Amino acid sequence: MYTHAVLARRAMRFAHDEEGAQVVEYALIIAVVSITLVLALGDSTTGLTSKATSFLSRIGTCFTSSTC
């Protein structure tokens, strides 16, 4: 059985652990850069911009409504 002090130390260690947050930050950066590249290169490729816009619109719908 854990004592209050042991649980408090483990909670403090968990609160100070930032490794998971860094992974999420890197994933968000990669996602933004990828979307930007797709949209920028879409001007030179026929139909790619409309497909990317449609895809992003569907993602927005999935996040804001109960149906995808």
Side-chain angles (χ1 to χ4, degrees):
M1 184 142 217
Y2 295 112
T3 64
H4 178 64
V6 172
L7 290 176
R9 276 196 308 260
R10 287 187 178 193
M12 290 298 290
R13 254 189 278 154
F14 179 75
H16 289 291
D17 184 19
E18 295 181 2
E19 185 174 319
Q22 290 175 349
V23 171
V24 171
E25 289 171 358
Y26 288 132
L28 288 173
I29 290 170
I30 290 170
V32 169
V33 169
S34 298
I35 290 171
T36 304
L37 285 173
V38 166
L39 294 176
L41 295 175
D43 291 336
S44 62
T45 306
T46 307
L48 185 60
T49 303
S50 63
K51 290 178 184 178
T53 304
S54 173
F55 176 71
L56 292 175
S57 174
R58 286 188 310 213
I59 290 174
T61 302
C62 288
F63 282 129
T64 57
S65 71
S66 61
T67 60
C68 272

